Amino acid sequence: DQQVKQNSPSLSVQEGRISILNCDYTNSMFDYFLWYKKYPAEGPTFLISISSIKDKNEDGRFTVFLNKSAKHLSLHIVPSQPGDSAVYFCAADLTGGGNKLTFGTGTQLKVEL
Amino acid sequence: EPEVTQTPSHQVTQMGQEVILRCVPISNHLYFYWYRQILGQKVEFLVSFYNNEISEKSEIFDDQFSVERPDGSNFTLKIRSTKLEDSAMYFCASSRQGGSNQPQHFGDGTRLSIL
């Protein structure tokens, strides 16, 4: 089951620069997308979400962009901080799907000093 | 900030034994979920629960699994006759409402090790 894919297992960025994490999906019925951050030994922490009726949502340093025609979304973090170093998961949901989130495999972000 | 709490953080059980994983969802949330993550794999949906009923379950959630909300605060996942392949991190989550546009908030998980 590869309905949500994160093709980059890892990403390294310098502090202060922009981090861009990517996610692709195959199910055109997905209409709600979320990004979660996960530190070791902790559960996923909700970061930001976007509905399919929008193409951008911003919350502080985090912005999510959605390109429905390409079935692609991205998370931008600017400026990146060392505390952002974590695994980032993309997840998708669909109306009437029983609130069943489908997760990607995650991208390990490392923000270096 | 309110959070989902899970106990125990680590559970070690002999194969064939029953195990109960416990969760306290966020107090004003009405929808509850269990997910699992086998080491090195994706987080996978198991079951969603609302109004004392299962709303949706995955193929993984077979007859050896059951969920219960025994009181006003706890939400449990029971695994009967555990197997080696049940070893995983189990995450509980809750959301205020159901439907799309409702973020789910996760606990820190229970690491289940089957020997």
Side-chain angles (χ1 to χ4, degrees):
Chain A
D1 179 4
Q2 293 287 316
Q3 293 191 78
V4 178
K5 302 180 209 180
Q6 294 175 257
N7 292 318
S8 298
S10 64
L11 174 67
S12 187
V13 170
Q14 282 203 320
E15 182 182 11
R17 306 295 291 264
I18 185 170
S19 295
I20 300 176
L21 297 108
N22 294 303
C23 178
D24 297 293
Y25 61 96
T26 56
N27 188 343
S28 58
M29 299 297 291
F30 286 140
D31 57 6
Y32 182 54
F33 303 90
L34 310 91
W35 283 95
Y36 285 85
K37 176 170 77 172
K38 187 181 182 302
Y39 294 118
E42 294 185 11
T45 300
F46 170 70
L47 271 178
I48 192 168
S49 62
I50 188 166
S51 163
S52 60
I53 62 173
K54 296 186 175 181
D55 54 19
K56 177 183 174 181
N57 189 24
E58 192 170 353
D59 184 0
R61 296 186 297 115
F62 302 93
T63 303
V64 56
F65 295 92
L66 175 63
N67 182 335
K68 282 182 292 182
S69 60
K71 295 193 182 68
H72 177 83
L73 64 154
S74 61
L75 174 69
H76 293 210
I77 307 172
V78 57
S80 301
Q81 299 173 354
D84 296 330
S85 297
V87 178
Y88 288 79
F89 292 99
C90 166
D93 192 8
L94 58 89
T95 303
N99 309 322
K100 169 181 135 178
L101 293 182
T102 301
F103 280 83
T105 48
T107 297
Q108 173 76 59
L109 173 65
K110 183 176 180 183
V111 180
E112 298 172 321
L113 297 171
Chain B
E1 184 175 329
E3 57 183 28
V4 176
T5 56
Q6 290 185 242
T7 55
S9 56
H10 190 188
Q11 174 78 48
V12 181
T13 302
Q14 290 288 331
M15 186 173 60
Q17 296 295 306
E18 175 182 286
V19 65
I20 297 176
L21 310 182
R22 302 180 191 279
C23 169
V24 178
I26 295 172
S27 62
N28 63 348
H29 286 191
L30 301 176
Y31 289 77
F32 316 117
Y33 315 88
W34 284 101
Y35 291 80
R36 79 172 185 190
Q37 186 178 27
I38 294 172
L39 188 63
Q41 297 187 23
K42 291 184 178 186
V43 176
E44 302 173 287
F45 170 82
L46 292 178
V47 66
S48 58
F49 189 87
Y50 168 70
N51 199 25
N52 282 320
E53 289 184 347
I54 290 175
S55 307
E56 180 87 12
K57 60 183 181 179
S58 71
E59 294 174 351
I60 304 167
F61 195 88
D62 60 22
D63 290 344
Q64 68 165 144
F65 291 91
S66 62
V67 289
E68 189 180 26
R69 187 152 166 82
D71 53 44
S73 60
N74 290 284
F75 179 53
T76 62
L77 174 69
K78 182 190 290 185
I79 310 175
R80 287 180 281 275
S81 189
T82 49
K83 306 174 211 168
L84 293 176
E85 54 265 36
D86 294 328
S87 295
M89 282 293 291
Y90 288 80
F91 294 107
C92 174
S94 68
S95 63
R96 185 173 301 169
Q97 298 175 32
S100 280
N101 302 321
Q102 294 296 323
Q104 296 178 24
H105 298 270
F106 286 75
D108 285 341
T110 293
R111 179 172 300 283
L112 178 62
S113 299
I114 307 299
L115 304 179

